[in-house]
Amino acid sequence: MDKRVIFAVAGSGKTTHIVDSLSKEKRSLIVTYTVVNKENLRKKIEKKYNGVWPDNITLMTYFSFLFRFCYKPFMADLIPARGVVFDKNPDRYAKKDNIRYYMSDGGYFYSNRLSMILQKNSVMDEIKNRITKYFDEFIIDEVQDIAGRDFTFLEKLMDTDVNQLFVGDFYQHTYDTSRDGNVNKTLFNNRLEYEQRFINKGFLCDSTSLVNSWRCSKTICQFIVDNLGIEIYSNRSKDDDTEIKYINDSRERDMILLDSDIVKLHYSKGTLYGLGHYNWGEMKGEDKYNDVCVFLNKTTAKAYDSGKLQYLAPSTRNKLYVAITRAHGNVYFVKE
């Protein structure tokens, strides 16, 4: 069995790599966390097969996979549920032997505990056998989004006797499938330790195949290497260079703010500023912007001024990395 995880960089063609690996000769199960990523995959797969969806390829979001593929065949009769809810679990149900620890009063599984109840009810072997029965390969896109109890669940699936390909960007970890107490709380604190979790399950870790970005210029990539400490290089030529610039002149700043073609990205609460304003982290997966204006909040502006961006909290650094790497063209920094 071939088991490998590819650690990619922003704009390196993760989705394209997955789609290129597909063929009509093998049955493929593809799982990704966000609806945006699923839609990107769907479009590229349909394009590859001239608009006709192949019967041998199954594409699912992560929680659809948990609920439809893993829960329904083995536990629906034992514990009836209506679906998955992303609300926070109420504190009044603190005991793990109470079904309300896992489900809302309305009969929906809490998203951060669905994989937990699957493991608790000892159906992991059945799930692995089901994957083996219907598929030849198991593919996960944006694997860095799988966290908390879900990563423990994934580690158990890694023993499944099929080819496995996981693709992700360690530094684009801005979402979590689940957070619940201290379970895998430090999973993303150290990249080498994160990679070791895969190696321990027999995976080959590939950190070279997708280390070059097609989206970002050499200037943008070099800024990220020098200031965020993230290894990323550009596939683009020097003649295609762009700039990354801190804007201090008020007139230049106003021109950027008034330019509707330049997307505006904030650390948080971006939509409060109006149309064309978003948050850094929520832009993951977007590949349609030329120039980008990144607003620096107080903490990040201070780190920028002192040359210490790479010492930001990992979650903040990762979101900033996502924001900067949305740009095909120029990046402008403005203090919020």
Side-chain angles (χ1 to χ4, degrees):
M1 292 296 115
D2 182 41
K3 299 181 180 181
R4 77 180 56 226
V5 54
I6 300 177
F7 293 104
V9 300
S12 60
K14 296 185 291 294
T15 303
T16 298
H17 182 87
I18 289 172
V19 174
D20 287 347
S21 74
L22 302 174
S23 76
K24 291 188 176 181
E25 282 67 52
K26 54 186 178 181
R27 303 167 299 166
S28 305
L29 171 61
I30 309 170
V31 174
T32 190
Y33 178 33
T34 68
V35 175
V36 170
N37 289 336
K38 181 187 175 186
E39 186 65 12
N40 288 339
L41 279 161
R42 182 190 64 78
K43 288 179 180 178
K44 290 194 175 185
I45 293 171
E46 286 184 344
K47 183 178 180 180
K48 176 175 181 173
Y49 293 104
N50 300 314
V52 180
W53 189 269
D55 293 335
N56 62 304
I57 296 175
T58 299
L59 174 63
M60 310 178 82
T61 60
Y62 176 72
F63 286 106
S64 180
F65 166 69
L66 282 187
F67 188 77
R68 289 168 47 198
F69 189 90
C70 301
Y71 153 77
K72 275 196 169 183
F74 307 115
M75 291 180 57
D77 291 339
L78 178 66
I79 305 175
R82 301 173 66 182
V84 180
V85 67
F86 298 90
D87 297 340
K88 185 178 179 180
N89 317 62
D91 294 334
R92 65 180 182 275
Y93 299 122
K95 294 184 178 180
K96 296 180 181 180
D97 57 354
N98 188 327
I99 191 58
R100 289 294 173 257
Y101 182 81
Y102 308 93
M103 298 179 69
S104 70
D105 293 338
Y108 290 86
F109 282 117
Y110 292 115
S111 60
N112 63 338
R113 292 194 176 143
L114 177 50
S115 65
M116 181 183 179
I117 200 168
L118 289 169
Q119 295 171 76
K120 179 180 172 65
N121 282 268
S122 304
V123 295
M124 293 306 301
D125 287 342
E126 287 88 342
I127 294 170
K128 287 185 281 189
N129 289 338
R130 189 163 193 249
I131 293 174
T132 304
K133 179 179 179 180
Y134 291 109
F135 300 102
D136 302 308
E137 64 177 1
F138 180 36
I139 299 172
I140 296 183
D141 180 32
E142 305 289 1
V143 70
Q144 80 283 344
D145 290 335
I146 297 181
R149 297 187 187 278
D150 292 307
F151 191 82
T152 303
F153 177 78
L154 177 62
E155 282 184 307
K156 293 182 179 180
L157 290 186
M158 290 180 192
D159 296 327
T160 306
D161 193 23
V162 295
N163 291 329
Q164 297 176 54
L165 172 64
F166 301 164
V167 182
D169 183 348
F170 179 82
Y171 296 105
Q172 286 197 68
H173 170 67
T174 59
Y175 297 119
D176 285 331
T177 51
S178 70
R179 292 182 184 180
D180 197 9
N182 292 320
V183 178
N184 286 318
K185 187 176 181 180
T186 62
L187 180 64
F188 296 97
N189 283 5
N190 184 290
R191 174 167 171 169
L192 292 179
E193 291 178 5
Y194 179 73
E195 290 183 12
Q196 191 62 45
R197 297 283 287 265
F198 292 93
I199 293 170
N200 292 344
K201 303 299 289 188
F203 273 68
L204 171 68
C205 292
D206 179 350
S207 298
T208 59
S209 294
L210 296 176
V211 75
N212 287 9
S213 177
W214 294 98
R215 182 190 305 140
C216 300
S217 71
K218 293 182 182 295
T219 299
I220 304 301
C221 291
Q222 192 61 53
F223 177 89
I224 292 169
V225 172
D226 293 341
N227 293 274
L228 299 184
I230 296 173
E231 188 176 3
I232 179 174
Y233 304 99
S234 179
N235 272 317
R236 289 162 51 173
S237 68
K238 278 190 176 181
D239 296 336
D240 187 32
D241 232 348
T242 64
E243 65 176 350
I244 185 163
K245 183 179 181 182
Y246 174 75
I247 306 300
N248 200 30
D249 180 77
S250 60
R251 288 176 297 179
E252 189 175 4
R253 182 185 62 225
D254 291 344
M255 288 177 64
I256 291 171
L257 296 180
L258 290 170
D259 190 339
S260 60
D261 291 330
I262 300 177
V263 66
K264 318 298 190 302
L265 304 181
H266 302 257
Y267 175 76
S268 63
K269 301 179 181 179
T271 54
L272 295 180
Y273 294 89
L275 196 64
H277 292 255
Y278 306 94
N279 294 340
W280 296 349
E282 72 183 18
M283 301 305 288
K284 186 160 61 71
E286 294 286 1
D287 188 31
K288 60 185 179 182
Y289 300 108
N290 190 47
D291 296 344
V292 171
C293 175
V294 179
F295 287 94
L296 303 178
N297 63 359
K298 186 176 181 179
T299 299
T300 314
K302 183 178 180 180
Y304 179 91
D305 290 339
S306 60
K308 296 182 178 180
L309 287 175
Q310 70 183 85
Y311 301 110
L312 290 167
S315 61
T316 303
R317 179 203 57 199
N318 292 355
K319 291 175 182 177
L320 180 59
Y321 166 62
V322 168
I324 294 171
T325 55
R326 295 315 93 191
H328 286 265
N330 302 321
V331 175
Y332 303 112
F333 290 123
V334 173
K335 285 188 178 179
E336 193 167 69

